[in-house]
Amino acid sequence: MSEHDFSSLHVVTHPLLQHKLSLMRDRKTPPILFRQLLREISLLLGYEVTRDLPLTTERIETPLVEMEAPVLACPLSIVSILRAGLGMAEGLQQLIPSAREGHIGLYRDPETKKPHEYFLKLPENPGRVLLVDPMLATGGSAAHAVDVLLRNGIAREDLRLVTLVCAPEGVQVFAKAHPDVPIYTAALDEKLNEKAYILPGLGDAGDRLFGTL
Ligand code: URA
């Protein structure tokens, strides 16, 4: 793939989504509203991310007749990268209440600078997996999280990365490591700053979500 291939990136645009994201970006937005908006946007993103879920049919009886009714053909799981991913998982869980949940906790080794997992719990038979992390900044954690999922038996074609805001640098790193894993996001921002924060971005999503500023 070329150095600037964004073909796996899907930027979901919708006036409601863009309006809500602007509210989230505003530094004056308090954690309680930030959390609510992240939940709402995740729900809207989830609608697009799940558009290609396979269906099968089940014979049911309506109050009037029998019919072959379309139902989801496979389970779905939401895997959050801790801790900011939890805020997105809330919204997706509201959209798909039958979804199973998993969690990956990662930290950056101060010596090697490489991500390592300190926590991992995945559902059995996860089916389609939505890996969630609001900020795709350097792309290192998300790429590593996919490595972890693949190592744990999840098929590449079952994976989708769901983010809120991406930096071009993060998209490049992730797409180079996993060109066949689609990325869904509400915004592709300008760039990373020297501290690896996304510009214009919205600051530290975990801190804003949990009020730990
Ligand atoms: N993580 C965040 O929460 N915000 C950024 O801008 C980059 C990484």
Side-chain angles (χ1 to χ4, degrees):
M1 90 182 256
S2 83
E3 210 192 324
H4 299 292
D5 189 349
F6 286 83
S7 57
S8 60
L9 181 69
H10 303 259
V11 181
V12 180
T13 55
H14 186 289
L16 279 177
L17 203 151
Q18 285 163 290
H19 175 80
K20 288 173 192 292
L21 178 57
S22 298
L23 295 176
M24 289 187 78
R25 290 185 191 276
D26 188 336
R27 65 183 308 159
K28 296 192 295 300
T29 298
I32 188 165
L33 181 55
F34 189 90
R35 189 176 192 132
Q36 180 189 325
L37 291 162
L38 184 57
R39 209 167 41 224
E40 292 168 356
I41 291 182
S42 304
L43 207 143
L44 293 167
L45 280 173
Y47 188 76
E48 276 307 309
V49 179
T50 52
R51 196 173 269 289
D52 67 342
L53 281 179
L55 290 171
T56 183
T57 57
E58 266 178 22
R59 188 122 199 111
I60 61 159
E61 277 178 50
T62 76
L64 301 172
V65 287
E66 280 196 9
M67 71 174 284
E68 288 293 326
V71 291
L72 292 180
C74 69
L76 187 139
S77 299
I78 304 159
V79 176
S80 310
I81 300 181
L82 300 176
R83 68 186 160 144
L86 294 172
M88 293 194 88
E90 258 186 68
L92 289 166
Q93 189 74 50
Q94 245 175 301
L95 181 69
I96 318 149
S98 62
R100 298 154 194 195
E101 279 205 54
H103 301 93
I104 302 183
L106 299 174
Y107 74 92
R108 216 158 86 109
D109 186 306
E111 276 176 23
T112 65
K113 312 277 185 242
K114 294 219 163 82
H116 284 280
E117 67 263 23
Y118 64 86
F119 184 82
L120 177 66
K121 194 85 186 165
L122 299 174
E124 270 181 41
N125 185 23
R128 174 72 61 89
V129 173
L130 309 182
L131 176 65
V132 298
D133 192 3
M135 308 303 277
L136 186 67
T138 62
S141 300
H144 184 82
V146 169
D147 290 337
V148 172
L149 296 178
L150 294 173
R151 239 189 285 132
N152 280 271
I154 293 164
R156 280 187 179 280
E157 60 269 24
D158 286 334
L159 282 168
R160 306 286 183 272
L161 175 66
V162 191
T163 72
L164 178 68
V165 178
C166 291
E169 296 91 329
V171 175
Q172 284 309 299
V173 167
F174 184 85
K176 193 158 181 235
H178 302 293
D180 43 5
V181 176
I183 308 166
Y184 286 81
T185 191
L188 175 62
D189 273 11
E190 239 172 75
K191 59 177 181 181
L192 291 181
N193 72 7
E194 63 290 347
K195 290 188 173 155
Y197 278 91
I198 299 176
L199 297 178
L202 45 75
D204 187 303
D207 281 344
R208 294 201 58 193
L209 190 59
F210 295 108
T212 47
L213 290 168

